[in-house]
């Protein structure tokens, strides 16, 4: 695999150099500079917002024959540098998607030592006049930065009534199955941040609870630097919530509704001036969906095989609400304070009624009965974030201090009952889980520029986690016709984890090469205490996480980037519980306190090029996951499956992501994404060696078509191929989503009609098997789903383009 990777890199670099070797003026700059020390510099800004524009294309042409001489792109501060220019007369063109092209003529390079500073160059946002119809340019749905992909949620019309999960269905690096479970490059272990800060919720729960209409951007960071927490196998998903950019009072109102108990809304109000910003927001969502399940299971014990087939209807959904408030105050240009408060409630619910058929090869008589299952997990959570930013006299020299506290409560109740054909109750179980959790963090980040092109960063973080989990079980007594509490299945578990981290990063740029190297050290002290059994399981250790990021700029805005990071995925709390927890009549769960964390080595190589306003990007990646944690199954008893977790071995993923963003016409934009990778997992499970592999691929094809000044049509398709795990195989699926958006009253009001899974192709199909069991599950959900969304801008609310605080994720500087 590494040999293939090296060959592909060499081929890519050779192909790039051949493009520029057609004329001596187009040779790579390192071959033609010699003793040329001439320099052309400048900075590119947005005219209206007065903020720098990153990744603008800057192209230098000969004045006489208009042949291209060289080119580059702007950095995070909007600055560009063109070096080693031959004496002569030139002009510059500056391009960036959504802005008018700017041309600067009569640039004179008189000698090899000439230095020309073009100062601040302002770009105006595009306004295209087509048949007397004004169409304002929009931001691209997906853009690439040095260390992340940024998804502009407002451009995802097919997800506007949904959640963050619905947005992620149509972005690179991410796959979402039919039940809404998110994977980042094939792994469900990733870290979720909200505005760069952690959340007390599980990652997938946080994504399911956040309405898409409250989100400005979603950042996908697959190889984070040492500045970030190293948790998560495959990286970080950072949700950036909306904030206004206009001074004065403005707001945003969203309402949505659909058939079968689906509706919600959110409201955001902001009061902003030069010295302060006050934000208040509310959201509510209720979403339920119908489905149909088919299951086939058989287990073997003492040479007797027992069979259970079941099928029936199900109803699953969630109810969530949230309250958000934030205040920022600028004491002066050097000191900024912010406070952010959030409160939310959530309820995840599911119910089903299945018709069962049970028999064995020893007794061929069939037994028919009905199984009902009702589950709800509900609770509330809140968080407080405070930060203080101080800027020193030197530009870029600053220190940021943050305090974060969050607390959540979660109660889960599951009732499973078996009924005869006459609806009389045969058996039943009620299982409960409840307990609070709390997280307290302090963080300090320091940044010091070293000259013009180098920077040193360092920081400290302390994290204190405390949680408690209480489980219980009641069993139905048919004689007394009531449920009896079983104290032997009552357990209380305490989880304490203290983590202290130090990191340092050195970054710099020399000519076309950029380098960033970092190291993070973490001390972890963790205690899992089983109160009833008087047992304690302790971890006391140091871990080290190096990171390296490299970049090289070709001419004309082409870039190549490479990186390496080491990460960790710590087991979840219930993975460690060494006692039985009944999920329903046929499934019981038991944790493993000896489970070890996963350690991940991740390598990436990326290449990006712009041609006009279009973008092509490709990334190669190779990930090795040591001590891979997987949920595994075995036979507990006749027709009863035991679910546990184990370090099954090592898995490998080697693949490539491709993205093409293309304007076919002035009104038609396409976004084509693909992910192709080879997956292999090998190790030992229940004393037996195993090795499994699969060739996986997924694709998304998104089309956005403007049908006039105020009408937009969008169609998105996606396909996820089959894939394997240590014990099973998940089949592939295909879906198509449509949306039509109509704006009114100078864009103050917008109506969006969505149709999801138009052709009813979505499904979840999974097979799991071992030496003594086989399990097949097929689930189809309600489709198509039709939703109507209304958005109203109060006082012409517009989302903020850039944040003036470098808090958490999204604050990496270009190296």
């Amino acid at each position: 695999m590494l040999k293939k990777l090296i060959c592909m890199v060499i081929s890519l670099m050779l192909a790039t150099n051949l493009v520029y070797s057609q004329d001596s003026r187009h040779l790579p700059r390192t071959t033609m500079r010699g003793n040329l020390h001439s320099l052309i510099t400048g900075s590119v800004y947005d005219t209206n917002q007065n903020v720098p524009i990153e990744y603008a294309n800057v192209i230098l042409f000969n004045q006489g024959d208009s042949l291209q001489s060289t080119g580059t792109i702007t950095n995070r501060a909007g600055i560009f540098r063109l070096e080693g220019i031959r004496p002569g007369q030139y002009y510059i063109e500056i391009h960036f998607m959504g802005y008018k092209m700017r041309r600067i003529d009569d640039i004179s390079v008189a000698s090899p030592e000439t230095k020309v500073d073009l100062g601040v160059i302002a770009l105006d946002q595009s306004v295209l006049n087509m048949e007397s119809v004004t169409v304002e340019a929009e931001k691209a749905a997906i853009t690439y930065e040095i260390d992340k992909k940024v998804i502009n949620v407002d451009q995802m019309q097919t997800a506007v009534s949904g959640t963050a999960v619905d947005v992620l269905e149509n972005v690179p690096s991410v796959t979402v199955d039919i039940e809404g479970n998110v994977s980042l490059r094939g792994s469900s272990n990733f870290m979720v941040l909200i505005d760069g800060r952690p959340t007390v919720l599980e990652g997938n729960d946080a994504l399911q609870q956040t309405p898409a209409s409250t989100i400005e951007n979603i950042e996908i960071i697959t190889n984070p630097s040492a500045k970030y927490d190293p948790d998560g196998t495959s990286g970080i998903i950072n949700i950036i919530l909306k904030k206004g950019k206009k001074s004065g009072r403005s707001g945003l109102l969203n309402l949505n509704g659909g058939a079968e108990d689906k509706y919600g809304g959110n409201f955001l109000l902001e009061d902003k001036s030069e010295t302060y910003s006050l934000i208040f927001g509310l959201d509510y969502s209720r979403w339920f969906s119908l489905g149909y399940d088919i299951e086939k299971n058989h287990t073997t014990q003492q040479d007797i095989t027992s069979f259970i087939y079941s099928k029936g209807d199900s109803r699953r959904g969630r109810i969530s609400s949230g309250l958000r408030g934030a205040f920022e105050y600028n004491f002066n240009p050097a000191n900024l304070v912010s406070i952010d408060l959030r409160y939310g409630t959530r309820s995840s619910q599911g119910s089903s009624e299945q018709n069962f058929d049970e028999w064995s090869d020893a007794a061929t008589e069939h037994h028919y009965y009905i199984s009902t299952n009702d589950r709800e997990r509900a609770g509330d959570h809140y968080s407080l974030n405070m930060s203080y930013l101080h800027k020193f006299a030197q530009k870029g020299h600053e220190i940021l201090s943050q305090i974060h506290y969050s607390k959540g409560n979660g109660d889960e109740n599951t009732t499973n009952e078996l009924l005869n054909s006459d609806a009389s109750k045969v058996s039943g179980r009620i299982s409960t889980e409840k307990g609070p959790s709390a997280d307290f963090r302090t963080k300090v980040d320091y940044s010091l520029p070293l000259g013009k092109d180098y920077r040193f960063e360092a920081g400290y973080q302390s994290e204190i986690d405390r949680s408690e989990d209480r489980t219980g079980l009641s069993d139905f007594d048919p004689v007394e016709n009531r449920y009896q509490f079983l104290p032997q299945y009552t357990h209380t578990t305490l989880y304490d984890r203290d983590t202290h981290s130090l990191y340092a990063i050195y970054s710099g740029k020399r000519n076309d090469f950029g380098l960033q190297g970092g190291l993070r050290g973490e001390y972890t002290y963790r205690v899992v205490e089983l109160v009833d059994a008087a047992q304690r399981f302790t971890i006391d250790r140091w871990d080290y996480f190096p990171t390296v990021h490299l970049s090289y700029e070709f001419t004309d805005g082409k870039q190549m980037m490479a990186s390496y990071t080491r990460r960790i995925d710590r087991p979840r709390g219930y993975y460690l519980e060494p006692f039985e927890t009944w999920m329903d009549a046929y499934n019981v769960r038991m944790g493993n306190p000896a489970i070890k964390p996963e350690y991940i080595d991740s390598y990436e190589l990326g290449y990006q090029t712009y041609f006009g306003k279009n973008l092509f990007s490709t990334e190669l990646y190779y990930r090795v996951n040591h001590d891979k944690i997987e949920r595994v199954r075995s036979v507990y008893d006749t027709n009863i499956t035991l679910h546990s977790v184990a370090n099954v071995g090592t898995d490998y993923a080697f693949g490539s992501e491709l993205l093409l963003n293309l304007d076919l016409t002035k009104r038609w934009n396409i976004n084509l994404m693909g992910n192709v990778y080879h997956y292999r997992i090998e190790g030992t499970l229940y004393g037996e060696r195993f090795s499994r592999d699969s060739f996986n691929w997924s694709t998304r094809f998104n089309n956005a078509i403007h049908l006039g000044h105020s009408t937009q049509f969008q169609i998105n398709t996606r396909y996820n191929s089959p894939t394997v795990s240590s014990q099973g195989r998940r089949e592939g699926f295909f879906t198509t989503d449509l949306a039509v958006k109509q704006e009114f009253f100078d864009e103050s009001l917008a109506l969006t009609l969505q149709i999801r899974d138009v052709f009813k192709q979505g499904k979840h199909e999974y097979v799991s098997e071992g030496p003594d069991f086989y399990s097949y599950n097929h689930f189809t959900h309600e489709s198509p789903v039709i939703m109507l969304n209304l958005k109203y801008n109060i006082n012409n609310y517009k989302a903020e383009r850039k944040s003036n605080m470098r808090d958490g994720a999204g604050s990496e500087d270009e190296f």
Side-chain angles (χ1 to χ4, degrees):
M1 288 185 181
L2 291 177
K3 183 178 179 181
K4 291 181 181 178
L5 178 62
I6 294 169
C7 291
M8 294 179 74
V9 174
I10 294 173
S11 299
L12 184 58
M13 296 184 69
L14 288 174
T16 304
N17 286 335
L18 284 172
V19 171
Y20 297 105
S21 63
Q22 304 301 314
D23 187 282
S24 62
R25 286 167 292 193
H26 295 168
L27 288 171
R29 284 169 285 172
T30 53
T31 66
M32 56 180 283
R33 283 178 180 155
N35 295 320
L36 299 176
H37 303 291
S38 54
L39 177 66
I40 300 176
T41 62
S43 56
V44 181
Y45 271 67
D46 180 292
T47 300
N48 297 323
Q49 302 177 41
N50 194 32
V51 295
I53 299 176
E54 187 179 10
Y55 298 110
N57 291 312
V58 182
I59 307 173
L60 183 71
F61 296 90
N62 287 291
Q63 190 84 44
D65 55 15
S66 294
L67 288 176
Q68 181 178 319
S69 175
T70 187
T72 187
I73 61 172
T74 56
N75 66 11
R76 192 180 186 89
I79 297 171
F80 66 87
R81 293 166 60 90
L82 297 169
E83 301 175 274
I85 311 302
R86 295 180 183 276
Q89 294 294 118
Y90 298 91
Y91 69 90
I92 275 181
E93 288 186 0
I94 303 173
H95 301 262
F96 191 68
M97 186 177 295
Y99 290 82
K100 294 179 180 179
M101 186 273 289
R102 179 76 183 273
R103 172 168 167 159
I104 301 175
D105 292 306
D106 301 321
I107 300 173
S108 178
V109 178
S111 72
E113 305 294 330
T114 300
K115 291 180 173 53
V116 180
D117 185 358
L118 299 178
V120 176
I121 303 167
L123 297 189
D124 297 321
Q125 295 189 9
S126 300
V127 178
L128 307 175
N129 191 355
M130 300 177 293
E131 302 173 350
S132 300
V133 176
T134 300
V135 180
E136 291 188 6
E138 297 178 328
K139 291 189 289 184
I142 301 171
T143 57
Y144 280 73
E145 297 185 12
I146 288 293
D147 59 345
K148 57 181 171 278
K149 306 174 187 73
V150 181
I151 293 89
N152 177 22
V153 176
D154 279 344
Q155 302 305 312
M156 298 289 185
Q157 306 303 333
T158 58
V160 69
S161 296
T163 66
V165 171
D166 301 304
V167 176
L168 292 170
E169 289 179 351
N170 299 298
V171 304
S173 305
V174 177
T175 56
V176 181
D177 70 20
I178 204 66
E179 294 182 297
N181 299 307
V182 176
S183 297
L184 181 56
R185 284 194 174 158
S187 172
S188 60
N189 298 319
F190 53 85
M191 189 175 189
V192 172
L193 303 176
I194 308 291
D195 283 334
R197 306 181 183 103
T199 170
V200 71
L201 301 177
E202 292 282 351
N204 215 69
D205 290 342
L207 296 173
Q208 289 279 11
Q209 179 155 333
T210 307
S213 52
T214 67
I215 304 171
E216 175 66 16
N217 294 318
I218 296 180
E219 298 176 345
I220 308 296
I221 311 170
T222 50
N223 253 13
S225 75
K227 186 173 185 176
Y228 296 93
D229 287 341
D231 297 80
T233 299
S234 51
I236 295 170
I237 297 177
N238 183 34
I239 299 174
I240 307 297
L241 299 179
K242 287 182 175 177
K243 307 173 185 69
K245 71 178 183 182
K246 291 183 59 180
S247 294
R249 293 177 181 174
S250 60
L252 185 66
L253 173 67
N254 283 280
L255 298 173
N256 63 74
E260 300 296 341
D261 205 6
K262 301 177 183 67
Y263 57 88
N266 57 80
F267 173 73
L268 181 67
L269 181 66
E270 180 167 15
D271 186 6
K272 190 171 187 178
S273 72
E274 293 183 358
T275 57
Y276 75 88
S277 171
L278 181 63
I279 296 174
F280 176 76
L282 289 169
D283 65 78
Y284 176 82
S285 176
R286 182 181 178 92
W287 181 286
F288 284 87
S289 177
L290 304 178
Y292 190 76
D293 293 90
I294 298 175
E295 292 191 29
K296 300 178 180 181
N297 299 279
H298 60 73
T299 59
T300 301
Q301 278 194 315
Q302 298 178 352
D303 297 326
I304 297 176
T305 302
S306 302
F307 301 85
I308 292 183
Y309 285 6
S310 65
K311 57 184 178 180
D313 297 318
S314 63
R315 183 175 184 267
R316 307 175 187 181
R318 63 184 183 275
I319 303 172
S320 64
S321 62
L323 172 67
R324 171 189 172 203
F327 177 73
E328 289 186 0
Y329 187 78
N330 288 284
F331 290 96
N332 51 53
N335 295 279
L336 173 64
V337 171
S338 74
I339 300 175
D340 184 289
L341 288 164
R342 298 178 192 182
Y343 174 79
T345 64
R346 70 192 190 280
S347 174
S348 174
Q349 302 176 22
S351 61
S352 66
E353 183 173 305
Q354 306 287 312
N355 294 302
F356 274 70
D357 179 8
E358 182 177 354
W359 76 97
S360 72
D361 56 8
T364 57
E365 181 183 359
H366 288 244
H367 300 277
Y368 301 97
Y369 52 89
I370 298 171
S371 172
T372 64
N373 197 75
D374 291 286
R375 174 188 175 274
E376 180 181 14
R377 184 173 182 83
D380 62 353
H381 56 92
Y382 62 87
S383 66
L384 167 66
N385 300 281
M386 295 185 291
S387 63
Y388 169 65
L389 174 65
H390 176 73
K391 299 180 180 179
F392 298 94
Q394 182 184 6
K395 185 177 180 180
H397 185 197
E398 57 191 41
I399 186 168
L400 174 64
S401 302
Q402 299 179 77
I403 296 176
H404 167 86
Y405 178 76
S406 60
K407 187 172 183 178
N409 294 285
D411 294 347
E412 181 173 336
N413 291 273
T414 302
T415 301
N416 178 256
E417 296 180 334
L418 301 183
L419 311 176
N420 280 324
S421 55
D422 60 359
S424 61
K425 191 183 303 183
V426 177
S427 64
R429 277 196 173 94
I430 299 176
S431 58
T432 62
E433 292 186 59
K434 58 181 62 180
S437 62
D439 177 36
F440 179 73
R441 299 190 184 205
T442 58
K443 186 179 181 183
V444 178
D445 297 308
Y446 176 73
S447 179
L448 174 65
L450 302 173
K452 187 174 183 180
D453 296 318
Y454 297 89
R455 178 185 297 273
F456 173 75
E457 296 176 83
Y460 166 78
Q461 177 176 294
S462 172
E463 179 183 358
I464 300 173
D465 292 323
R466 299 290 184 267
S467 64
E468 180 180 348
D469 192 27
R470 300 184 297 273
T471 62
L473 181 68
S474 298
D475 203 43
F476 180 72
D477 186 340
V479 176
E480 298 191 14
N481 195 34
R482 66 185 181 91
Y483 282 91
Q484 300 280 1
F485 182 68
L486 304 179
Q488 66 269 30
Y489 290 99
T490 299
H491 304 282
T492 299
T493 309
L494 303 179
Y495 304 91
D496 295 347
R497 191 184 79 183
D498 297 346
T499 306
H500 301 275
S501 309
L502 291 168
Y503 77 87
I505 299 174
Y506 179 79
S507 58
K509 186 173 183 180
R510 184 175 180 84
N511 297 326
D512 300 320
F513 289 94
L515 167 67
Q516 182 192 82
L519 178 64
R520 186 182 186 96
E522 286 199 350
Y523 170 71
T524 301
Y525 182 75
R526 190 207 71 190
V527 177
V528 178
E529 182 179 356
L530 309 180
V531 177
D532 309 291
Q535 289 181 285
R536 291 165 60 95
F537 303 92
T538 303
I539 288 179
D540 185 354
R541 68 163 179 264
W542 278 90
D543 288 302
Y544 301 93
F545 304 97
T547 65
V548 178
H549 291 73
L550 305 171
S551 69
Y552 180 79
E553 292 183 15
F554 299 96
T555 54
D556 302 337
K558 295 176 174 61
Q559 292 186 91
M560 181 173 284
M561 292 162 288
S563 61
Y564 163 77
T565 63
R566 186 171 188 257
R567 301 186 60 74
I568 186 173
D569 186 53
R570 298 178 174 93
R572 300 174 183 179
Y574 64 85
Y575 282 8
L576 306 169
E577 298 171 350
F579 47 78
E580 297 175 1
T581 300
W582 285 87
M583 303 159 65
D584 57 40
Y586 300 103
N587 295 276
V588 61
R589 186 186 77 218
M590 178 181 289
N592 178 4
I595 202 82
K596 296 180 289 186
E598 300 177 2
Y599 289 94
I600 304 97
D601 293 306
S602 177
Y603 307 82
E604 288 188 8
L605 178 68
Y607 176 77
Q608 298 163 17
T609 180
Y610 288 87
F611 48 102
K613 293 183 178 181
N614 307 303
L615 167 68
F616 173 74
S617 173
T618 180
E619 289 181 276
L620 299 174
Y621 61 90
Y622 179 60
R623 188 182 70 230
V624 183
N625 192 342
H626 308 276
D627 291 322
K628 170 70 172 175
I629 298 174
E630 278 201 5
R631 300 181 186 183
V632 296
R633 301 182 181 189
S634 60
V635 176
Y636 178 83
D637 202 347
T638 302
N639 285 328
I640 298 177
T641 301
L642 174 64
H643 300 256
S644 187
V645 290
N647 296 110
V648 298
T650 305
D651 74 354
Y652 309 83
F654 175 72
S656 175
E657 288 182 353
L658 302 172
L659 180 139
L660 175 64
N661 189 78
L662 183 65
D663 288 329
L664 290 181
T665 69
K666 290 182 178 180
R667 299 193 184 197
W668 186 5
N669 172 266
I670 67 170
N671 198 286
L672 179 62
M673 294 163 278
N675 181 22
V676 180
Y677 68 99
H678 178 262
Y679 178 77
R680 177 167 57 93
I681 181 169
E682 57 187 21
T684 303
L685 186 60
Y686 299 124
E688 297 288 335
R689 292 287 301 171
F690 72 90
S691 179
R692 308 190 66 180
D693 68 335
S694 62
F695 178 78
N696 306 305
W697 64 282
S698 63
T699 183
R700 290 131 173 84
F701 184 41
N702 302 338
N703 292 261
I705 303 171
H706 288 272
L707 303 177
H709 167 57
S710 56
T711 307
Q712 182 180 349
F713 174 73
Q714 194 171 100
I715 177 170
N716 297 343
T717 61
R718 62 186 175 112
Y719 174 76
N720 290 337
S721 74
T723 188
V724 301
S725 63
S726 62
Q727 287 186 308
R729 172 184 169 90
R730 190 213 68 209
E731 299 300 326
F733 63 92
F734 171 84
T735 61
T736 301
D737 302 331
L738 301 177
V740 179
K741 178 182 177 182
Q742 178 66 50
E743 295 176 332
F744 304 91
F745 310 122
D746 194 26
E747 301 183 5
S748 293
L749 178 68
L751 289 176
T752 303
L753 177 66
Q754 300 170 250
I755 307 176
R756 297 176 60 80
D757 196 10
V758 178
F759 303 114
K760 302 182 179 182
Q761 295 294 308
K763 66 176 182 178
H764 175 90
E765 190 173 6
Y766 184 78
V767 172
S768 178
E769 56 186 325
D772 50 3
F773 77 93
Y774 171 89
S775 177
Y776 169 83
N777 176 267
H778 185 282
F779 170 74
T780 54
H781 67 169
E782 170 193 345
S783 61
V785 176
I786 301 174
M787 298 289 295
L788 182 65
N789 185 85
L790 179 147
K791 181 175 75 171
Y792 179 66
N793 289 323
I794 303 170
N795 194 22
N796 196 25
Y797 172 91
K798 291 185 182 296
E800 184 178 42
R801 177 183 173 87
K802 293 271 187 178
S803 172
N804 60 352
M805 285 220 43
R806 299 172 55 243
D807 66 274
S811 64
E812 287 296 302
D813 293 313
E814 180 184 281
F815 45 82

